[in-house]
Amino acid sequence: MVALAAMALLPSLCAGATIEFNELGKPSGTLLDSQSFPTLGITFGNDETYLANDSRFTANGSSDSWGIRTRTNAADNVFSLSFDSTHHATSVTFDWVTLWSVDFYATAYDENGGSRVFQLHGLTPSMNYGTNSLVADAGEKFTKVTFHDGAGFVGIGKLSYTTGNEVGGVSAVPTPAAVWGGLGLMGMLAASAGIRARRR
């Protein structure tokens, strides 16, 4: 009973997450292709996705200047990320930024081959930014999201997703410190219960 109560304090391992890309712990300019980050529930596609530390990612009010972006300013650069099987997403929200590109596209693909698209055309050819969401159809979950542009650069500064398994809203994927802290608490509660049982 004590163990169950302690485990209830641990965040769900398959809950949603908010990803700020400084969490990847890699230097700016790192090619992320095919790299997996299991604690965040994501894997990057093999399509030239780069990590960048750039002040433009703070345009939406974020204090985090890290994000992911296309490599060149050629037209139709595509970059993508996939959610692992325990993190398939019912919704995805992303901060986006464009530089020189007058177009921005985001496409989320669900488990059954369907897709939802967010697109903007006719942007000014300077810098543009915003925050938008894609929501899966009822009963569906997204497995992959792609982003691409017209001629220019596009980037994603922060990405949040929900899995449909959250209780009381979006909860972050637990950090190792949170997991160890929860296990420590569980051990203390179990030891306390054992001492009480011996005193009877």
Side-chain angles (χ1 to χ4, degrees), residues 16-193:
T18 295
I19 300 168
E20 293 189 340
F21 290 100
N22 63 354
E23 296 175 275
L24 302 186
K26 304 276 185 180
S28 185
T30 298
L31 178 65
L32 297 171
D33 287 12
S34 302
Q35 293 191 47
S36 284
F37 296 87
T39 58
L40 301 176
I42 58 172
T43 299
F44 290 96
N46 190 22
D47 44 24
E48 298 195 340
T49 305
Y50 283 83
L51 183 65
N53 185 1
D54 189 317
S55 62
R56 287 180 284 243
F57 288 124
T58 64
N60 282 336
S62 173
S63 60
D64 181 18
S65 61
W66 287 82
I68 54 175
R69 64 171 180 80
T70 52
R71 180 179 67 89
T72 71
N73 62 357
D76 295 323
N77 284 298
V78 176
F79 61 105
S80 64
L81 59 88
S82 298
F83 302 106
D84 70 30
S85 60
T86 59
H87 292 86
H88 286 180
T90 54
S91 67
V92 181
T93 300
F94 44 88
D95 289 353
W96 58 269
V97 62
T98 66
L99 181 63
W100 305 321
S101 177
V102 296
D103 301 303
F104 174 79
Y105 306 84
T107 307
Y109 298 91
D110 68 37
E111 297 161 323
N112 293 309
S115 63
R116 303 286 287 187
V117 178
F118 170 77
Q119 55 188 330
L120 290 170
H121 303 288
L123 298 169
T124 61
S126 56
M127 189 178 92
N128 301 277
Y129 59 90
T131 300
N132 291 90
S133 298
L134 292 167
V135 178
D137 291 331
E140 300 291 347
K141 290 190 175 187
F142 297 134
T143 60
K144 179 179 180 178
V145 184
T146 64
F147 303 96
H148 69 103
D149 61 350
F153 291 93
V154 299
I156 302 300
K158 182 169 67 175
L159 184 138
S160 301
Y161 64 89
T162 57
T163 63
N165 300 324
E166 296 80 13
V167 178
V170 179
S171 45
V173 172
T175 62
V179 172
W180 284 114
L183 293 173
L185 175 61
M186 210 163 44
M188 289 187 325
L189 290 171
S192 173

